[in-house]
Amino acid sequence: MKVSTMRKQSATATNPLQSELDVSEPVVEVIEAIERDIIRSRILPHDRLLEDNLMYDYDAKRHVVRAALAELQRLGVVVKPPHLGAYIRRFDEQDLEDLYHMRRVLYRAAVRVMSFPIPPDRLDEVSMAMEAHARAAQTGDLVRIHRTNMTFHRLLYGLCNNPYLAESIRRHDWLSFPARAYGVADVEALDCACREHAAMVEALHDQARDRLEALSLDHMERARSIYEKKFLR
């Protein structure tokens, strides 16, 4: 789909990525288009991202494409080795293990320092984010599914009340996107993710720290398994 068409479809809505990253709307639209094509496997790990091709595919100007690639590089989704152009990050087995080890460390740390009981207003925020992701899962809007998932995680692990830890989790959510992406379009994985989100919210209500920690660690493994089967086996 051309970016100009997507612009018309979302012109009346506030774009959450634009406000979060402080980039212009045209840059947001190209980022979203690349994001969508990664999820759909139209862009695969280590595929070269050629400016001319992206300009044509997304009906975008060169400076917009360059800005989008620069932002994705900052987030860790795109890598630009010297003299080789831009690529989607690809993980070998050791890279993937190192990344997921770090994610497990961060998630476990966040859950362990949460102060129970959770204040009702913040618990409501997490519950509403869970419901928003569940609704998005019914729409087939891949970018919205991914973004609402990240919002749920941001609010959930933000309950640790440590901004440095919460930002590290957010950073690693983006770093892991090239590995997690293929779970977004997988119907079975998405259905499981929705159920697991609901179970996490229930654990918060029950003040069940050990259960929440186990759910948090198990939750990330399905998307990792999809990536391993698709690219490493």
Side-chain angles (χ1 to χ4, degrees):
M1 182 184 294
K2 295 289 188 181
V3 167
S4 57
T5 302
M6 291 187 289
R7 182 183 300 119
K8 294 175 183 177
Q9 292 177 343
S10 59
T12 60
T14 301
N15 193 310
L17 182 63
Q18 184 178 10
S19 59
E20 179 185 356
L21 301 180
D22 193 26
V23 292
S24 69
E25 183 65 22
V27 175
V28 169
E29 290 167 350
V30 171
I31 291 173
E32 289 184 345
I34 294 172
E35 185 179 349
R36 186 177 292 105
D37 281 348
I38 294 172
I39 294 170
R40 288 175 172 169
S41 298
R42 292 180 178 175
I43 299 176
L44 297 174
H46 265 328
D47 277 356
R48 288 193 66 189
L49 299 175
L50 301 175
E51 289 182 3
D52 289 344
N53 291 352
L54 297 177
M55 290 167 60
Y56 176 80
D57 289 344
Y58 305 140
D59 190 23
K61 296 181 179 179
R62 188 176 300 277
H63 74 276
V64 171
V65 168
R66 285 181 177 173
L69 291 177
E71 187 63 24
L72 288 170
Q73 182 183 14
R74 186 185 72 82
L75 293 169
V77 176
V78 165
V79 294
K80 297 179 73 174
H83 314 300
L84 293 177
Y87 294 83
I88 298 301
R89 182 181 297 276
R90 180 165 186 161
F91 303 98
D92 61 23
E93 290 184 12
Q94 189 60 54
D95 290 333
L96 203 63
E97 176 55 35
D98 291 344
L99 173 63
Y100 273 77
H101 172 76
M102 189 62 193
R103 295 186 76 205
R104 289 191 295 270
V105 168
L106 293 170
Y107 281 24
R108 182 179 288 113
V111 172
R112 289 183 178 179
V113 299
M114 289 179 186
S115 180
F116 289 113
I118 303 299
D121 58 333
R122 299 189 68 186
L123 192 54
D124 286 345
E125 283 185 336
V126 176
S127 297
M128 287 188 291
M130 178 269 290
E131 293 167 359
H133 175 259
R135 289 194 300 270
Q138 301 301 314
T139 68
D141 184 335
L142 299 176
V143 171
R144 183 168 296 278
I145 293 168
H146 176 228
R147 296 293 171 71
T148 53
N149 178 68
M150 290 188 69
T151 298
F152 173 77
H153 286 190
R154 176 175 58 80
L155 291 172
L156 172 64
Y157 297 111
L159 296 173
C160 70
N161 293 324
N162 181 327
Y164 302 101
L165 177 54
E167 177 59 24
S168 294
I169 290 173
R170 175 185 171 277
R171 171 66 172 162
H172 281 80
D173 274 354
W174 274 113
L175 279 171
S176 64
F177 170 65
R180 295 185 298 103
Y182 307 99
V184 177
D186 185 289
V187 174
E188 182 179 356
L190 183 57
D191 184 57
C192 288
C194 290
R195 293 199 304 270
E196 289 165 352
H197 286 179
M200 291 177 193
V201 172
E202 183 180 359
L204 287 175
H205 278 282
D206 294 344
Q207 302 180 40
R209 191 185 309 276
D210 291 345
R211 193 199 321 160
L212 178 60
E213 181 179 325
L215 285 165
S216 297
L217 300 182
D218 290 345
H219 181 61
M220 68 179 76
E221 293 302 322
R222 188 169 292 102
R224 173 182 177 173
S225 177
I226 292 171
Y227 184 90
E228 288 175 335
K229 291 176 181 178
K230 194 175 182 68
F231 298 109
L232 299 180
R233 297 178 184 172

mmCIF file of all heavy atoms in Angstrom, residues 34 36-51 53-54 57-58 69 72 77-81 84-91 178 182 227 230-231:
data_model
loop_
_atom_site.group_PDB
_atom_site.id
_atom_site.type_symbol
_atom_site.label_atom_id
_atom_site.label_comp_id
_atom_site.label_asym_id
_atom_site.label_seq_id
_atom_site.Cartn_x
_atom_site.Cartn_y
_atom_site.Cartn_z
ATOM 1 N N ILE A 34 7.667 0.224 6.622
ATOM 2 C CA ILE A 34 8.765 -0.738 6.758
ATOM 3 C C ILE A 34 8.422 -1.757 7.842
ATOM 4 O O ILE A 34 8.622 -2.965 7.669
ATOM 5 C CB ILE A 34 10.090 -0.005 7.082
ATOM 6 C CG1 ILE A 34 10.520 0.859 5.887
ATOM 7 C CG2 ILE A 34 11.186 -1.013 7.440
ATOM 8 C CD1 ILE A 34 11.712 1.758 6.172
ATOM 9 N N ARG A 36 5.499 -2.730 8.837
ATOM 10 C CA ARG A 36 4.460 -3.632 8.337
ATOM 11 C C ARG A 36 5.050 -4.672 7.392
ATOM 12 O O ARG A 36 4.685 -5.851 7.438
ATOM 13 C CB ARG A 36 3.379 -2.806 7.632
ATOM 14 C CG ARG A 36 2.171 -3.598 7.188
ATOM 15 C CD ARG A 36 1.127 -2.689 6.560
ATOM 16 N NE ARG A 36 0.528 -1.787 7.542
ATOM 17 C CZ ARG A 36 0.806 -0.484 7.644
ATOM 18 N NH1 ARG A 36 1.682 0.077 6.813
ATOM 19 N NH2 ARG A 36 0.207 0.250 8.553
ATOM 20 N N ASP A 37 5.961 -4.261 6.543
ATOM 21 C CA ASP A 37 6.545 -5.192 5.577
ATOM 22 C C ASP A 37 7.496 -6.185 6.243
ATOM 23 O O ASP A 37 7.675 -7.298 5.746
ATOM 24 C CB ASP A 37 7.263 -4.427 4.459
ATOM 25 C CG ASP A 37 6.287 -3.882 3.421
ATOM 26 O OD1 ASP A 37 5.111 -4.293 3.450
ATOM 27 O OD2 ASP A 37 6.704 -3.056 2.581
ATOM 28 N N ILE A 38 8.112 -5.804 7.359
ATOM 29 C CA ILE A 38 8.905 -6.776 8.131
ATOM 30 C C ILE A 38 7.973 -7.829 8.711
ATOM 31 O O ILE A 38 8.229 -9.045 8.604
ATOM 32 C CB ILE A 38 9.690 -6.068 9.255
ATOM 33 C CG1 ILE A 38 10.753 -5.133 8.666
ATOM 34 C CG2 ILE A 38 10.349 -7.101 10.166
ATOM 35 C CD1 ILE A 38 11.423 -4.253 9.707
ATOM 36 N N ILE A 39 6.872 -7.395 9.326
ATOM 37 C CA ILE A 39 5.929 -8.328 9.932
ATOM 38 C C ILE A 39 5.364 -9.282 8.887
ATOM 39 O O ILE A 39 5.176 -10.473 9.146
ATOM 40 C CB ILE A 39 4.804 -7.553 10.639
ATOM 41 C CG1 ILE A 39 5.361 -6.768 11.839
ATOM 42 C CG2 ILE A 39 3.692 -8.501 11.103
ATOM 43 C CD1 ILE A 39 4.376 -5.794 12.450
ATOM 44 N N ARG A 40 5.107 -8.785 7.690
ATOM 45 C CA ARG A 40 4.534 -9.608 6.625
ATOM 46 C C ARG A 40 5.577 -10.462 5.909
ATOM 47 O O ARG A 40 5.253 -11.177 4.967
ATOM 48 C CB ARG A 40 3.856 -8.698 5.599
ATOM 49 C CG ARG A 40 2.563 -8.058 6.078
ATOM 50 C CD ARG A 40 2.044 -7.085 5.045
ATOM 51 N NE ARG A 40 0.713 -6.598 5.376
ATOM 52 C CZ ARG A 40 0.120 -5.583 4.755
ATOM 53 N NH1 ARG A 40 0.761 -4.944 3.777
ATOM 54 N NH2 ARG A 40 -1.098 -5.202 5.104
ATOM 55 N N SER A 41 6.834 -10.347 6.316
ATOM 56 C CA SER A 41 7.957 -11.071 5.682
ATOM 57 C C SER A 41 8.211 -10.600 4.256
ATOM 58 O O SER A 41 8.827 -11.315 3.465
ATOM 59 C CB SER A 41 7.708 -12.587 5.695
ATOM 60 O OG SER A 41 7.612 -13.079 7.003
ATOM 61 N N ARG A 42 7.791 -9.405 3.933
ATOM 62 C CA ARG A 42 8.141 -8.814 2.638
ATOM 63 C C ARG A 42 9.557 -8.244 2.676
ATOM 64 O O ARG A 42 10.210 -8.107 1.650
ATOM 65 C CB ARG A 42 7.137 -7.727 2.261
ATOM 66 C CG ARG A 42 5.747 -8.270 1.961
ATOM 67 C CD ARG A 42 4.781 -7.160 1.601
ATOM 68 N NE ARG A 42 3.468 -7.689 1.271
ATOM 69 C CZ ARG A 42 2.398 -6.943 1.015
ATOM 70 N NH1 ARG A 42 2.503 -5.614 1.073
ATOM 71 N NH2 ARG A 42 1.249 -7.495 0.735
ATOM 72 N N ILE A 43 9.991 -7.861 3.867
ATOM 73 C CA ILE A 43 11.384 -7.489 4.111
ATOM 74 C C ILE A 43 11.940 -8.506 5.088
ATOM 75 O O ILE A 43 11.392 -8.687 6.176
ATOM 76 C CB ILE A 43 11.514 -6.072 4.680
ATOM 77 C CG1 ILE A 43 10.962 -5.032 3.709
ATOM 78 C CG2 ILE A 43 12.967 -5.761 5.002
ATOM 79 C CD1 ILE A 43 10.966 -3.609 4.258
ATOM 80 N N LEU A 44 13.013 -9.180 4.705
ATOM 81 C CA LEU A 44 13.585 -10.245 5.520
ATOM 82 C C LEU A 44 14.910 -9.787 6.131
ATOM 83 O O LEU A 44 15.529 -8.827 5.644
ATOM 84 C CB LEU A 44 13.804 -11.491 4.669
ATOM 85 C CG LEU A 44 12.533 -12.116 4.085
ATOM 86 C CD1 LEU A 44 12.892 -13.248 3.137
ATOM 87 C CD2 LEU A 44 11.614 -12.606 5.188
ATOM 88 N N PRO A 45 15.343 -10.447 7.203
ATOM 89 C CA PRO A 45 16.623 -10.077 7.809
ATOM 90 C C PRO A 45 17.758 -10.048 6.788
ATOM 91 O O PRO A 45 17.890 -10.944 5.961
ATOM 92 C CB PRO A 45 16.841 -11.190 8.849
ATOM 93 C CG PRO A 45 15.460 -11.629 9.203
ATOM 94 C CD PRO A 45 14.675 -11.531 7.930
ATOM 95 N N HIS A 46 18.543 -9.044 6.861
ATOM 96 C CA HIS A 46 19.685 -8.805 5.971
ATOM 97 C C HIS A 46 19.285 -8.418 4.556
ATOM 98 O O HIS A 46 20.148 -8.323 3.681
ATOM 99 C CB HIS A 46 20.640 -9.999 5.948
ATOM 100 C CG HIS A 46 21.780 -9.867 6.914
ATOM 101 N ND1 HIS A 46 22.343 -8.656 7.245
ATOM 102 C CD2 HIS A 46 22.455 -10.780 7.629
ATOM 103 C CE1 HIS A 46 23.323 -8.832 8.104
ATOM 104 N NE2 HIS A 46 23.397 -10.122 8.376
ATOM 105 N N ASP A 47 17.983 -8.203 4.289
ATOM 106 C CA ASP A 47 17.598 -7.584 3.022
ATOM 107 C C ASP A 47 18.139 -6.160 2.993
ATOM 108 O O ASP A 47 18.019 -5.422 3.982
ATOM 109 C CB ASP A 47 16.078 -7.533 2.873
ATOM 110 C CG ASP A 47 15.489 -8.827 2.368
ATOM 111 O OD1 ASP A 47 16.278 -9.754 2.065
ATOM 112 O OD2 ASP A 47 14.252 -8.912 2.270
ATOM 113 N N ARG A 48 18.717 -5.782 1.880
ATOM 114 C CA ARG A 48 19.198 -4.407 1.762
ATOM 115 C C ARG A 48 18.015 -3.467 1.614
ATOM 116 O O ARG A 48 17.060 -3.747 0.893
ATOM 117 C CB ARG A 48 20.127 -4.261 0.562
ATOM 118 C CG ARG A 48 21.487 -4.910 0.741
ATOM 119 C CD ARG A 48 22.457 -4.459 -0.335
ATOM 120 N NE ARG A 48 22.765 -3.035 -0.222
ATOM 121 C CZ ARG A 48 23.452 -2.352 -1.132
ATOM 122 N NH1 ARG A 48 23.915 -2.957 -2.220
ATOM 123 N NH2 ARG A 48 23.704 -1.076 -0.962
ATOM 124 N N LEU A 49 18.083 -2.356 2.297
ATOM 125 C CA LEU A 49 17.045 -1.337 2.209
ATOM 126 C C LEU A 49 17.575 -0.211 1.321
ATOM 127 O O LEU A 49 18.272 0.694 1.785
ATOM 128 C CB LEU A 49 16.697 -0.823 3.610
ATOM 129 C CG LEU A 49 16.155 -1.893 4.567
ATOM 130 C CD1 LEU A 49 15.966 -1.308 5.969
ATOM 131 C CD2 LEU A 49 14.844 -2.469 4.062
ATOM 132 N N LEU A 50 17.265 -0.287 0.052
ATOM 133 C CA LEU A 50 17.760 0.674 -0.923
ATOM 134 C C LEU A 50 16.839 1.892 -0.972
ATOM 135 O O LEU A 50 15.619 1.751 -1.106
ATOM 136 C CB LEU A 50 17.847 0.027 -2.308
ATOM 137 C CG LEU A 50 18.764 -1.200 -2.399
ATOM 138 C CD1 LEU A 50 18.673 -1.822 -3.783
ATOM 139 C CD2 LEU A 50 20.196 -0.822 -2.076
ATOM 140 N N GLU A 51 17.421 3.060 -0.882
ATOM 141 C CA GLU A 51 16.615 4.279 -0.839
ATOM 142 C C GLU A 51 15.700 4.404 -2.048
ATOM 143 O O GLU A 51 14.521 4.751 -1.913
ATOM 144 C CB GLU A 51 17.529 5.505 -0.743
ATOM 145 C CG GLU A 51 18.216 5.650 0.601
ATOM 146 C CD GLU A 51 19.065 6.896 0.669
ATOM 147 O OE1 GLU A 51 19.062 7.683 -0.321
ATOM 148 O OE2 GLU A 51 19.731 7.107 1.700
ATOM 149 N N ASN A 53 14.397 2.118 -3.959
ATOM 150 C CA ASN A 53 13.291 1.172 -3.877
ATOM 151 C C ASN A 53 12.253 1.622 -2.856
ATOM 152 O O ASN A 53 11.047 1.523 -3.090
ATOM 153 C CB ASN A 53 13.798 -0.220 -3.503
ATOM 154 C CG ASN A 53 14.621 -0.853 -4.607
ATOM 155 O OD1 ASN A 53 14.706 -0.326 -5.712
ATOM 156 N ND2 ASN A 53 15.228 -1.980 -4.301
ATOM 157 N N LEU A 54 12.723 2.092 -1.694
ATOM 158 C CA LEU A 54 11.801 2.529 -0.653
ATOM 159 C C LEU A 54 11.034 3.772 -1.091
ATOM 160 O O LEU A 54 9.839 3.913 -0.784
ATOM 161 C CB LEU A 54 12.559 2.803 0.640
ATOM 162 C CG LEU A 54 13.271 1.597 1.270
ATOM 163 C CD1 LEU A 54 14.035 2.028 2.516
ATOM 164 C CD2 LEU A 54 12.283 0.494 1.614
ATOM 165 N N ASP A 57 8.377 2.327 -3.436
ATOM 166 C CA ASP A 57 7.392 1.478 -2.755
ATOM 167 C C ASP A 57 6.452 2.285 -1.862
ATOM 168 O O ASP A 57 5.262 1.967 -1.755
ATOM 169 C CB ASP A 57 8.099 0.427 -1.894
ATOM 170 C CG ASP A 57 8.771 -0.649 -2.719
ATOM 171 O OD1 ASP A 57 8.449 -0.767 -3.925
ATOM 172 O OD2 ASP A 57 9.634 -1.365 -2.165
ATOM 173 N N TYR A 58 6.995 3.319 -1.212
ATOM 174 C CA TYR A 58 6.214 4.042 -0.215
ATOM 175 C C TYR A 58 5.857 5.453 -0.653
ATOM 176 O O TYR A 58 5.348 6.236 0.161
ATOM 177 C CB TYR A 58 6.991 4.080 1.108
ATOM 178 C CG TYR A 58 7.384 2.716 1.614
ATOM 179 C CD1 TYR A 58 8.631 2.499 2.201
ATOM 180 C CD2 TYR A 58 6.531 1.620 1.490
ATOM 181 C CE1 TYR A 58 8.998 1.247 2.675
ATOM 182 C CE2 TYR A 58 6.891 0.365 1.940
ATOM 183 C CZ TYR A 58 8.125 0.181 2.532
ATOM 184 O OH TYR A 58 8.488 -1.070 2.990
ATOM 185 N N LEU A 69 15.092 5.660 7.985
ATOM 186 C CA LEU A 69 16.149 4.673 8.193
ATOM 187 C C LEU A 69 17.041 5.068 9.367
ATOM 188 O O LEU A 69 17.471 4.211 10.149
ATOM 189 C CB LEU A 69 16.984 4.515 6.924
ATOM 190 C CG LEU A 69 16.288 3.858 5.732
ATOM 191 C CD1 LEU A 69 17.213 3.840 4.521
ATOM 192 C CD2 LEU A 69 15.836 2.444 6.078
ATOM 193 N N LEU A 72 15.128 4.212 12.540
ATOM 194 C CA LEU A 72 15.126 2.769 12.757
ATOM 195 C C LEU A 72 16.513 2.264 13.165
ATOM 196 O O LEU A 72 16.625 1.314 13.940
ATOM 197 C CB LEU A 72 14.642 2.050 11.495
ATOM 198 C CG LEU A 72 13.146 2.186 11.211
ATOM 199 C CD1 LEU A 72 12.823 1.653 9.815
ATOM 200 C CD2 LEU A 72 12.317 1.462 12.267
ATOM 201 N N VAL A 77 16.636 -1.453 14.959
ATOM 202 C CA VAL A 77 15.961 -2.324 13.992
ATOM 203 C C VAL A 77 16.784 -2.463 12.723
ATOM 204 O O VAL A 77 16.859 -3.541 12.122
ATOM 205 C CB VAL A 77 14.558 -1.773 13.671
ATOM 206 C CG1 VAL A 77 13.872 -2.604 12.588
ATOM 207 C CG2 VAL A 77 13.700 -1.732 14.934
ATOM 208 N N VAL A 78 17.418 -1.374 12.315
ATOM 209 C CA VAL A 78 18.234 -1.330 11.105
ATOM 210 C C VAL A 78 19.695 -1.205 11.497
ATOM 211 O O VAL A 78 20.031 -0.520 12.470
ATOM 212 C CB VAL A 78 17.804 -0.139 10.211
ATOM 213 C CG1 VAL A 78 18.841 0.164 9.136
ATOM 214 C CG2 VAL A 78 16.441 -0.425 9.571
ATOM 215 N N VAL A 79 20.553 -1.881 10.757
ATOM 216 C CA VAL A 79 21.996 -1.738 10.931
ATOM 217 C C VAL A 79 22.591 -1.224 9.627
ATOM 218 O O VAL A 79 22.085 -1.512 8.543
ATOM 219 C CB VAL A 79 22.653 -3.072 11.342
ATOM 220 C CG1 VAL A 79 22.181 -3.494 12.717
ATOM 221 C CG2 VAL A 79 22.362 -4.168 10.328
ATOM 222 N N LYS A 80 23.664 -0.455 9.753
ATOM 223 C CA LYS A 80 24.314 0.121 8.571
ATOM 224 C C LYS A 80 25.821 -0.104 8.671
ATOM 225 O O LYS A 80 26.559 0.792 9.070
ATOM 226 C CB LYS A 80 23.981 1.613 8.456
ATOM 227 C CG LYS A 80 22.505 1.898 8.250
ATOM 228 C CD LYS A 80 22.208 3.390 8.159
ATOM 229 C CE LYS A 80 22.689 3.967 6.840
ATOM 230 N NZ LYS A 80 22.282 5.382 6.675
ATOM 231 N N PRO A 81 26.299 -1.305 8.308
ATOM 232 C CA PRO A 81 27.744 -1.551 8.309
ATOM 233 C C PRO A 81 28.433 -0.597 7.313
ATOM 234 O O PRO A 81 27.841 -0.210 6.300
ATOM 235 C CB PRO A 81 27.861 -3.007 7.839
ATOM 236 C CG PRO A 81 26.503 -3.598 8.060
ATOM 237 C CD PRO A 81 25.535 -2.475 7.872
ATOM 238 N N LEU A 84 28.223 -0.758 3.248
ATOM 239 C CA LEU A 84 27.331 -1.857 2.850
ATOM 240 C C LEU A 84 25.867 -1.444 2.808
ATOM 241 O O LEU A 84 25.010 -2.264 2.487
ATOM 242 C CB LEU A 84 27.497 -3.036 3.819
ATOM 243 C CG LEU A 84 28.847 -3.752 3.777
ATOM 244 C CD1 LEU A 84 28.893 -4.851 4.831
ATOM 245 C CD2 LEU A 84 29.122 -4.332 2.396
ATOM 246 N N GLY A 85 25.541 -0.218 3.129
ATOM 247 C CA GLY A 85 24.160 0.208 3.103
ATOM 248 C C GLY A 85 23.399 -0.212 4.347
ATOM 249 O O GLY A 85 23.984 -0.624 5.350
ATOM 250 N N ALA A 86 22.070 -0.118 4.274
ATOM 251 C CA ALA A 86 21.214 -0.405 5.421
ATOM 252 C C ALA A 86 20.565 -1.780 5.270
ATOM 253 O O ALA A 86 20.164 -2.184 4.185
ATOM 254 C CB ALA A 86 20.130 0.669 5.534
ATOM 255 N N TYR A 87 20.461 -2.483 6.392
ATOM 256 C CA TYR A 87 19.853 -3.811 6.440
ATOM 257 C C TYR A 87 18.966 -3.908 7.673
ATOM 258 O O TYR A 87 19.203 -3.233 8.675
ATOM 259 C CB TYR A 87 20.921 -4.909 6.564
ATOM 260 C CG TYR A 87 21.836 -5.062 5.382
ATOM 261 C CD1 TYR A 87 22.961 -4.241 5.231
ATOM 262 C CD2 TYR A 87 21.600 -6.036 4.416
ATOM 263 C CE1 TYR A 87 23.815 -4.380 4.151
ATOM 264 C CE2 TYR A 87 22.452 -6.189 3.338
ATOM 265 C CZ TYR A 87 23.550 -5.368 3.206
ATOM 266 O OH TYR A 87 24.393 -5.508 2.131
ATOM 267 N N ILE A 88 17.972 -4.806 7.607
ATOM 268 C CA ILE A 88 17.260 -5.191 8.815
ATOM 269 C C ILE A 88 18.182 -6.077 9.641
ATOM 270 O O ILE A 88 18.846 -6.966 9.114
ATOM 271 C CB ILE A 88 15.961 -5.947 8.459
ATOM 272 C CG1 ILE A 88 15.025 -5.051 7.655
ATOM 273 C CG2 ILE A 88 15.267 -6.445 9.720
ATOM 274 C CD1 ILE A 88 14.613 -3.786 8.369
ATOM 275 N N ARG A 89 18.210 -5.816 10.944
ATOM 276 C CA ARG A 89 19.082 -6.586 11.818
ATOM 277 C C ARG A 89 18.729 -8.073 11.747
ATOM 278 O O ARG A 89 17.568 -8.457 11.767
ATOM 279 C CB ARG A 89 18.946 -6.103 13.261
ATOM 280 C CG ARG A 89 19.869 -6.816 14.249
ATOM 281 C CD ARG A 89 19.649 -6.297 15.662
ATOM 282 N NE ARG A 89 19.988 -4.890 15.780
ATOM 283 C CZ ARG A 89 21.219 -4.434 15.996
ATOM 284 N NH1 ARG A 89 22.231 -5.289 16.109
ATOM 285 N NH2 ARG A 89 21.456 -3.145 16.093
ATOM 286 N N ARG A 90 19.762 -8.902 11.665
ATOM 287 C CA ARG A 90 19.566 -10.349 11.703
ATOM 288 C C ARG A 90 20.348 -10.924 12.880
ATOM 289 O O ARG A 90 21.439 -10.472 13.186
ATOM 290 C CB ARG A 90 20.032 -11.004 10.406
ATOM 291 C CG ARG A 90 19.839 -12.507 10.414
ATOM 292 C CD ARG A 90 19.949 -13.129 9.056
ATOM 293 N NE ARG A 90 19.619 -14.551 9.102
ATOM 294 C CZ ARG A 90 19.285 -15.278 8.051
ATOM 295 N NH1 ARG A 90 19.216 -14.716 6.862
ATOM 296 N NH2 ARG A 90 19.004 -16.550 8.169
ATOM 297 N N PHE A 91 19.790 -11.932 13.508
ATOM 298 C CA PHE A 91 20.413 -12.546 14.671
ATOM 299 C C PHE A 91 20.857 -13.960 14.338
ATOM 300 O O PHE A 91 20.094 -14.743 13.767
ATOM 301 C CB PHE A 91 19.411 -12.627 15.828
ATOM 302 C CG PHE A 91 18.823 -11.296 16.226
ATOM 303 C CD1 PHE A 91 17.581 -10.905 15.760
ATOM 304 C CD2 PHE A 91 19.529 -10.434 17.053
ATOM 305 C CE1 PHE A 91 17.042 -9.692 16.118
ATOM 306 C CE2 PHE A 91 18.999 -9.210 17.424
ATOM 307 C CZ PHE A 91 17.745 -8.830 16.947
ATOM 308 N N PRO A 178 13.052 -7.102 15.179
ATOM 309 C CA PRO A 178 13.294 -7.953 14.003
ATOM 310 C C PRO A 178 13.163 -9.443 14.292
ATOM 311 O O PRO A 178 12.944 -10.227 13.369
ATOM 312 C CB PRO A 178 14.742 -7.593 13.620
ATOM 313 C CG PRO A 178 14.943 -6.214 14.139
ATOM 314 C CD PRO A 178 14.189 -6.189 15.433
ATOM 315 N N TYR A 182 7.653 -11.677 13.513
ATOM 316 C CA TYR A 182 6.928 -12.730 12.800
ATOM 317 C C TYR A 182 5.842 -13.355 13.663
ATOM 318 O O TYR A 182 4.938 -14.013 13.145
ATOM 319 C CB TYR A 182 7.927 -13.761 12.289
ATOM 320 C CG TYR A 182 9.008 -13.068 11.483
ATOM 321 C CD1 TYR A 182 10.242 -12.760 12.060
ATOM 322 C CD2 TYR A 182 8.762 -12.625 10.193
ATOM 323 C CE1 TYR A 182 11.206 -12.059 11.364
ATOM 324 C CE2 TYR A 182 9.720 -11.922 9.478
ATOM 325 C CZ TYR A 182 10.935 -11.644 10.068
ATOM 326 O OH TYR A 182 11.880 -10.924 9.373
ATOM 327 N N TYR A 227 11.008 -17.230 15.031
ATOM 328 C CA TYR A 227 12.194 -16.700 14.325
ATOM 329 C C TYR A 227 13.221 -17.816 14.108
ATOM 330 O O TYR A 227 13.795 -17.933 13.020
ATOM 331 C CB TYR A 227 12.799 -15.549 15.117
ATOM 332 C CG TYR A 227 13.954 -14.883 14.419
ATOM 333 C CD1 TYR A 227 13.736 -13.809 13.568
ATOM 334 C CD2 TYR A 227 15.270 -15.321 14.603
ATOM 335 C CE1 TYR A 227 14.790 -13.185 12.923
ATOM 336 C CE2 TYR A 227 16.334 -14.707 13.969
ATOM 337 C CZ TYR A 227 16.081 -13.635 13.129
ATOM 338 O OH TYR A 227 17.147 -13.041 12.484
ATOM 339 N N LYS A 230 12.183 -20.116 11.391
ATOM 340 C CA LYS A 230 12.134 -19.462 10.087
ATOM 341 C C LYS A 230 13.522 -19.191 9.518
ATOM 342 O O LYS A 230 13.737 -19.302 8.307
ATOM 343 C CB LYS A 230 11.360 -18.147 10.220
ATOM 344 C CG LYS A 230 10.924 -17.505 8.904
ATOM 345 C CD LYS A 230 10.065 -16.296 9.184
ATOM 346 C CE LYS A 230 9.556 -15.647 7.907
ATOM 347 N NZ LYS A 230 8.579 -16.482 7.188
ATOM 348 N N PHE A 231 14.475 -18.865 10.389
ATOM 349 C CA PHE A 231 15.762 -18.376 9.892
ATOM 350 C C PHE A 231 16.990 -19.152 10.393
ATOM 351 O O PHE A 231 18.071 -19.037 9.797
ATOM 352 C CB PHE A 231 15.950 -16.905 10.246
ATOM 353 C CG PHE A 231 14.927 -16.011 9.624
ATOM 354 C CD1 PHE A 231 13.960 -15.411 10.397
ATOM 355 C CD2 PHE A 231 14.911 -15.800 8.247
ATOM 356 C CE1 PHE A 231 12.998 -14.600 9.819
ATOM 357 C CE2 PHE A 231 13.962 -14.985 7.661
ATOM 358 C CZ PHE A 231 13.000 -14.380 8.444
#
